[in-house]
Amino acid sequence: MTAEEMKADGAPLEGADITPKRDEGVLKVVKREGSGTESPMIGDKVTVHYTGWLLDGTKFDSSLDRRDKFSFDLGKGSEVIKAWDIAVATMKVGEICRITCKPEYAYGSAGSPPKIPPNATLIFEVKLFEFKGEDLTDDEDGGIIRRIRKKGEGYSKPNEGALVEIQFEGRYGDRVFDRRELRFEIGEGDNYDLPHGLEKAIQKMEKSEESVFYLKPNYGFGSAGKEKFQIPPDAELQYEVKLKSFEKAKESWEMNTDEKLEQSCIVKERGTQYFKEGKYKQAALQYKKIVSWLEHESGLSDEEETKAKSLRLAAHLNLAMCHLKLKEYSQALENCNKALELDSNNEKGLFRRGEAHLAVNDFELARGDFQKVIQLYPSNKAAKVQLVTCQQKIREQHEKEKKMYANMFQRLADKDLKSAATLQTSHTEDEEMKDEQNGVEDKSEIDTEA
C-alpha cells in the first residue's frame, strides 16, 4: 500500500481479520509468504524489521531506517501494542505482512505524542526474521526452553513443595515415551520418573497453562539415560505439559516457629531417606528447606533456639555430604563452613571440609582439617587415613615442584652456556676477520712498494 493510497479518503481497510473477537481491530495482508510450518508462541523472543505509518501516509517509525532489527518477547502484554502480539503470532519466518491496527489495538485515546495522535489507526509493514523459546534456566544456558501454546490464568506459580496436578506427554525424537496425568509434590518428581528440569519448568507455569518444554541432557535424564523409557544417555527431551491445578506450599513467612520446627523435622527425615536411596539432589532440596525456614528465625525461646540450631547444623552437614557425593565441592565447602560457624569443633564438619579441600587439591588446608579432627577425636580412623593421603600428596607435590624448578634452572644454565658460546664464537670470528684484514693491508703495502 502506497502513501497515496493510504491518504485517499474513504479507502477501505484491507486484510483478513485476525483478532480473537473478530471485531476487525487487526487486519492482515500477507505480502510475501514465509517458510516452515511453525509460528511464534507466547513468550518467544521474536526479531523483526518494521515500518509504521499513519492513515494519511505519514511515516512515524522504522527499524529499517535505523538499520537495527527490533526484538521483543511475544505475548507479554507490556512490550508492544496489542496488535503486534496478535499479528506476529500468525507469521512464519521470512514472511512480510501489512497489518492495520484500530486504536483500541494500538495506542488508544492517549496516542503516543508527539508522533501518534489520539485514536489513530496505524499501518505497519513487518518482516519476521526469527523466533526462539524462552530460556528458563538460572544461568541462561539454554537447558530448559519453554514455548507457551496457551497462556495460563493469573500470576501465581507453584513453589518448591507445591502439590501440582499435570497432564503431560514426553517425547524422545518422534517417539512418545511417557503419557500420564499425575498429582505430585514439587521436589518429589524423581519418585515418579520425572527429570528435575521438568519440575523446574513446572514452577514457571500458571494455572491452566499449556506449554512445550525442550530439555537438554543435563536437565533431562543426563548421562545415565532412563532404561525404563528406553532413553539413551545424553538425550534431549521434549515435554508437552498442561498445569491443571496446584496448591502452593506454605512460604516461610506464612509459618509460625512451631510449624517451621515441626516441618523441619519432617523434611529432615525425608532427606535422609532420599540420601539412603542415593537420590542426593532430592535429599539436598529437603535439607535446603530447613535452612531457608530457620536461618533467620528470631525471638526464639531457649528451648526453641537449641532445637533450631541442632536442625540447622544437621542440615548444613547433610548438605555438605550431598554436595560431596555430587562432586559440587565449592557448595560442600560453603555448607561445612556454615556448620562450623554453629559448632567450631564439629567432627563431621571438619572431616567433610577436609574431604572437600582434598578433592580440589588444596592439600595443606585438607591436612589442617584432618589434623584438627585427630587432635579433638583421636579415635577417628578415617581422618588418620586421609591425613596420610594428604601428606603423601604434599610430598608428591613438593617433588614435582622440585623437579620443575630443577628443570627450569637447568634450562636457564643451558641458555647461559649457549649465550656464552655464541659470544665466544662471535669474538673468535672478529679476531679472524681482523687478522685477514691485516693480511690484506700488508699485501697492499708490499705490492705498492714493489
Side-chain angles (χ1 to χ4, degrees):
M1 190 181 224
T2 64
E4 287 72 20
E5 288 174 320
M6 286 187 274
K7 287 178 183 177
D9 283 339
L13 300 176
E14 299 176 358
D17 184 358
I18 57 173
T19 55
K21 297 178 181 178
R22 293 292 182 263
D23 59 7
E24 298 189 341
V26 185
L27 304 177
K28 176 185 175 185
V29 175
V30 177
K31 299 188 71 176
R32 190 179 84 184
E33 295 286 349
S35 59
T37 57
E38 287 200 52
S39 295
M41 295 184 191
I42 299 165
D44 284 0
K45 176 77 73 177
V46 299
T47 302
V48 301
H49 258 320
Y50 70 91
T51 301
W53 297 272
L54 302 177
L55 271 184
D56 65 3
T58 302
K59 180 165 64 174
F60 60 83
D61 193 12
S62 175
S63 63
L64 285 163
D65 292 350
R66 294 192 300 273
R67 297 182 181 180
D68 186 18
K69 293 173 186 171
F70 176 62
S71 296
F72 67 97
D73 295 324
L74 187 71
K76 294 294 185 181
S78 58
E79 295 191 19
V80 293
I81 59 174
K82 193 186 298 185
W84 273 47
D85 278 333
I86 293 170
V88 175
T90 68
M91 297 178 71
K92 308 286 191 300
V93 170
E95 178 180 321
I96 299 175
C97 72
R98 186 182 72 242
I99 55 173
T100 304
C101 324
K102 293 285 184 66
E104 55 269 33
Y105 288 89
Y107 293 98
S109 59
S112 183
K115 293 186 176 182
I116 299 173
N119 299 309
T121 295
L122 307 178
I123 295 175
F124 289 94
E125 185 166 288
V126 182
K127 179 178 180 180
L128 177 63
F129 286 90
E130 66 172 357
F131 58 86
K132 55 185 177 181
E134 180 184 7
D135 188 343
L136 299 182
T137 60
D138 297 331
D139 299 328
E140 296 186 350
D141 59 14
I144 307 173
I145 299 296
R146 169 172 65 176
R147 305 197 62 216
I148 302 172
R149 290 197 188 281
K150 180 185 171 187
K151 192 170 172 58
E153 303 168 4
Y155 299 98
S156 183
K157 298 176 177 65
N159 59 349
E160 184 69 37
L163 188 63
V164 300
E165 185 178 358
I166 61 171
Q167 180 180 322
F168 73 95
E169 181 177 278
R171 287 179 174 273
Y172 169 59
D174 295 329
R175 177 172 64 88
V176 176
F177 64 85
D178 194 7
R179 183 187 286 122
R180 284 182 280 166
E181 288 195 20
L182 185 63
R183 186 176 171 85
F184 74 104
E185 185 179 304
I186 294 291
E188 305 280 321
D190 189 65
N191 294 337
Y192 301 92
D193 301 307
L194 300 180
H196 75 97
L198 183 61
E199 284 193 276
K200 190 175 182 69
I202 290 169
Q203 291 181 72
K204 303 289 187 177
M205 298 181 75
E206 297 165 348
K207 183 183 176 184
S208 300
E209 179 181 315
E210 296 177 23
S211 288
V212 184
F213 298 104
Y214 301 88
L215 307 184
K216 294 288 187 185
N218 52 330
Y219 291 92
F221 295 122
S223 58
K226 192 74 173 178
E227 187 177 352
K228 178 177 178 178
F229 297 135
Q230 297 181 323
I231 303 296
D234 300 316
E236 296 189 5
L237 307 175
Q238 176 184 326
Y239 281 88
E240 293 203 26
V241 183
K242 177 179 180 179
L243 179 58
K244 299 176 75 173
S245 66
F246 67 91
E247 299 170 22
K248 291 189 77 165
K250 272 191 173 183
E251 300 285 2
S252 179
W253 55 269
E254 296 177 299
M255 292 191 284
N256 62 34
T257 299
D258 287 339
E259 286 178 306
K260 288 177 182 178
L261 291 170
E262 181 184 355
Q263 288 301 309
S264 292
C265 290
I266 291 170
V267 299
K268 178 174 174 282
E269 292 304 315
R270 190 183 298 163
T272 301
Q273 187 58 41
Y274 278 137
F275 188 90
K276 288 177 181 177
E277 294 169 3
K279 298 174 180 177
Y280 305 122
K281 285 187 177 180
Q282 286 75 19
L285 286 173
Q286 302 304 316
Y287 298 134
K288 283 177 182 176
K289 290 179 184 179
I290 300 172
V291 176
S292 69
W293 291 336
L294 300 177
E295 190 170 28
H296 301 295
E297 192 72 359
S298 59
L300 304 180
S301 67
D302 290 344
E303 184 181 348
E304 289 171 338
E305 180 62 43
T306 301
K307 190 173 183 179
K309 183 178 177 180
S310 174
L311 284 164
R312 285 171 57 205
L313 178 61
H316 284 302
L317 290 171
N318 292 341
L319 275 167
M321 196 65 203
C322 288
H323 290 307
L324 283 171
K325 292 288 187 182
L326 294 166
K327 298 183 179 180
E328 297 168 346
Y329 301 118
S330 62
Q331 290 165 277
L333 282 168
E334 182 183 338
N335 279 283
C336 287
N337 288 332
K338 290 279 189 182
L340 292 167
E341 285 174 15
L342 296 167
D343 178 4
S344 60
N345 291 329
N346 185 272
E347 183 176 9
K348 291 178 180 177
L350 290 166
F351 183 82
R352 289 171 190 174
R353 189 171 70 177
E355 287 191 304
H357 282 312
L358 185 58
V360 296
N361 298 332
D362 284 338
F363 304 128
E364 298 282 357
L365 292 174
R367 180 172 65 177
D369 282 332
F370 294 131
Q371 284 175 334
K372 189 167 183 180
V373 172
I374 295 166
Q375 179 188 347
L376 295 169
Y377 308 96
S379 62
N380 192 316
K381 294 179 181 178
K384 292 175 183 177
V385 170
Q386 293 291 56
L387 180 60
V388 170
T389 302
C390 281
Q391 289 169 334
Q392 183 181 345
K393 292 286 185 183
I394 290 169
R395 280 197 299 272
E396 289 173 2
Q397 192 175 47
H398 287 167
E399 285 298 318
K400 189 176 179 181
E401 288 172 356
K402 188 176 176 183
K403 286 179 183 177
M404 183 181 71
Y405 289 127
N407 290 336
M408 184 177 72
F409 291 137
Q410 185 60 50
R411 284 196 299 271
L412 288 171
D414 291 345
K415 188 176 178 181
D416 289 343
L417 284 170
K418 187 177 179 181
S419 297
T422 303
L423 188 62
Q424 181 62 41
T425 302
S426 176
H427 179 70
T428 303
E429 288 174 350
D430 289 345
E431 289 295 326
E432 289 175 354
M433 189 177 291
K434 186 175 180 183
D435 290 344
E436 287 175 4
Q437 286 174 349
N438 288 337
V440 169
E441 288 169 1
D442 291 347
K443 186 175 186 298
S444 299
E445 287 173 3
I446 293 169
D447 288 346
T448 305
E449 289 172 356

